Amino acid sequence: MERLRFDPRPDWDAKAEALGFTWRHDDGKPYWDETAAYAFSLSEIEDGIEAPTAELHSLCLDLVEEAVQSERLMEQLDIPEAMRDYVADSWKRNEPSLYGRFDFAYDGTGPAKLYEYNADTPTSIYETAVFQWLWLEDQIAAGVLPADADQFNSLHEKLVDRFRAIFPGGGFMHFSSDADFVEDRQTVRFLEDLARQAGLDPQFVAIDQIGLNEEGRFVDHENWIIGALFKLYPWEQMLRDDYAAPLPTADVTVLEPAWKSLLSNKGILPLLWARHAGHPNLLESYFEDDPRAANLGDSYARKPLFSREGANVELVDRGVSGGVDDGGYGEGRHILQALRPPPVFDGQHVIVGSWLIGDEPAGVGLREDTGRITRNTSRFLPHFIRD
């Protein structure tokens, strides 16, 4: 695994604009960055990332199977009591999952270490699936990369196939997000396009325009019944909303399904460690109120059960705190995880996001930052396989 410098394509920004990739700058600072790229060997991809992704996914599904039968585990994972049967029933009905992403510390020299599982968010899925693949094709066409260069990236085709498998007869499907948040809306547009390629008829409805009719069915802004819904809206909020109570009887298929709320939760980290202590791809982790957390000493990462883009994550190194970026997630329970800063290449901290589509590993996207915590401003860099 190496970080190699590249000259950016002179027309990349225009191409991004034409494709609707709007979240490529943030306040004038680059989010998409092709001044460098990461090179992997095939064995690093297959053995170092793909295999651990499949294994950890299996361990997570085993944990869900246990959690849906345990009030104690539901409580530890902070699932609202009134919604626990709904969450459990979604698993027992085998409601399908579309995607998930493990975030790893990996430098090619040792086992990938799991930071967290993004089981309910598609953040960075477009740039992983599409824009970094276009970068690869352009670099091959320009002779910058050899013709046999490849990329661990089958997200686009696997997503289309997964939509088709979940909805084999096609039909009408709603997609929803905050209509005013550009990044989310563009991500949902991408998923709408994939669903269309799979034979579905997508219809967007803003999350705040979803209502409830007299029969207890969810409806859109035109009063059409919502029978299938992709929502870019986190389950930890959805299970606590005013409209949570009708969910069990509303007869709606939701992507991601409610059982993913058990995994989109940093509480799984100590639960996985308790069941698989010493696993090479896990970092030692405990709930903050667990006396065993003292095993970590004075160096650890303190994380809320629910947070996004590094908000309210605190890194404590030999008793010294690196501070907290308060994103509003500071209340509630926390976990402590063994401190493992991301590997550094050319002064940049990098994490590997490894995607699953359905149950299959499907590709990686890499994020960089000068700091040790990945935030929404952290840059996305492409990668390639060179042997």
Side-chain angles (χ1 to χ4, degrees):
M1 179 178 174
E2 286 188 276
R3 185 183 192 271
L4 303 176
R5 297 188 180 276
F6 284 80
D7 291 328
R9 295 166 295 167
D11 60 348
W12 79 262
D13 195 64
K15 285 185 173 181
E17 180 69 23
L19 290 168
F21 181 19
T22 53
W23 184 259
R24 60 190 189 274
H25 308 288
D26 182 40
D27 291 333
K29 298 177 181 178
Y31 166 69
W32 171 264
D33 183 359
E34 56 182 69
T35 62
Y38 282 85
F40 292 88
S41 70
L42 184 60
S43 64
E44 286 171 337
I45 291 292
E46 291 182 342
D47 302 329
I49 299 173
E50 186 175 7
T53 297
E55 182 171 352
L56 289 173
H57 176 61
S58 179
L59 298 184
C60 285
L61 296 184
D62 289 345
L63 179 58
V64 173
E65 175 67 25
E66 183 182 354
V68 297
Q69 303 174 67
S70 169
E71 286 291 320
R72 179 181 62 85
L73 292 177
M74 288 274 200
E75 190 280 328
Q76 282 188 299
L77 293 169
D78 205 15
I79 304 300
E81 187 173 0
M83 301 306 295
R84 290 175 190 171
D85 286 344
Y86 172 63
V87 170
D89 288 345
S90 76
W91 171 260
K92 295 170 185 176
R93 288 193 298 267
N94 198 31
E95 292 187 353
S97 169
L98 184 61
Y99 55 66
R101 192 189 78 239
F102 290 114
D103 282 348
F104 289 131
Y106 183 69
D107 65 2
T109 65
K113 297 291 187 180
L114 177 64
Y115 283 139
E116 61 186 56
Y117 185 19
N118 297 273
D120 185 35
T121 174
T123 302
S124 80
I125 200 167
Y126 172 80
E127 46 270 41
T128 303
V130 176
F131 209 66
Q132 70 166 342
W133 182 260
L134 296 177
W135 172 87
L136 178 75
E137 291 185 325
D138 284 349
Q139 298 292 22
I140 291 173
V144 176
L145 291 177
D148 61 352
D150 202 355
Q151 197 173 82
F152 180 34
N153 186 2
S154 58
L155 263 73
H156 189 283
E157 52 266 41
K158 278 189 167 65
L159 281 163
V160 172
D161 289 345
R162 186 61 179 158
F163 271 119
R164 194 175 286 129
I166 294 171
F167 304 104
F172 197 68
M173 182 176 180
H174 282 84
F175 287 75
S176 188
S177 71
D178 181 341
D180 297 324
F181 186 22
V182 174
E183 181 186 7
D184 284 5
R185 182 66 191 98
Q186 292 301 94
T187 297
V188 171
R189 280 196 174 96
F190 170 57
L191 292 167
E192 288 174 36
D193 182 59
L194 294 173
R196 193 174 290 110
Q197 293 175 47
L200 289 158
D201 183 9
Q203 170 68 42
F204 180 78
V205 55
I207 198 75
D208 61 355
Q209 295 298 307
I210 295 176
L212 197 70
N213 68 13
E214 293 179 354
E215 288 77 39
R217 301 291 302 277
F218 289 110
V219 293
D220 68 10
H221 53 293
E222 295 180 345
N223 213 36
W224 287 96
I225 289 176
I226 299 174
L229 174 70
F230 173 89
K231 49 86 191 169
L232 206 169
Y233 188 63
W235 271 113
E236 66 263 24
Q237 292 177 238
M238 196 161 164
L239 292 176
R240 291 166 171 80
D241 279 353
D242 292 339
Y243 280 117
L247 279 166
T249 56
D251 193 22
V252 56
T253 298
V254 184
L255 293 177
E256 287 296 285
W259 60 264
K260 292 297 283 293
S261 64
L262 296 164
L263 297 177
S264 60
N265 179 322
K266 294 176 186 66
I268 68 167
L269 300 170
L271 294 179
L272 287 171
W273 182 259
R275 286 151 181 78
H276 309 283
H279 190 287
N281 301 118
L282 295 176
L283 291 168
E284 187 173 2
S285 302
Y286 303 96
F287 288 101
E288 188 174 36
D289 57 2
D290 186 337
R292 293 173 296 177
N295 294 344
L296 298 176
D298 60 0
S299 294
Y300 51 83
R302 182 176 185 262
K303 300 180 177 182
L305 261 59
F306 309 111
S307 71
R308 296 282 185 268
E309 301 285 6
N312 293 93
V313 172
E314 179 184 16
L315 304 184
V316 179
D317 192 349
R318 288 167 290 186
V320 178
S321 171
V324 175
D325 180 11
D326 186 3
Y329 298 99
E331 300 297 323
R333 303 181 71 188
H334 288 65
I335 64 108
L336 302 185
Q337 184 182 57
L339 186 64
R340 179 65 175 265
V344 178
F345 292 80
D346 293 343
Q348 303 294 322
H349 297 86
V350 63
I351 66 164
V352 175
S354 183
W355 286 90
L356 289 144
I357 303 303
D359 295 315
E360 298 181 22
V364 297
L366 290 94
R367 301 282 299 279
E368 268 192 356
D369 204 292
T370 54
R372 294 186 294 174
I373 297 175
T374 303
R375 308 188 187 280
N376 67 332
T377 54
S378 300
R379 290 163 289 110
F380 187 104
L381 278 75
H383 79 278
F384 66 99
I385 304 170
R386 59 182 173 188
D387 65 6

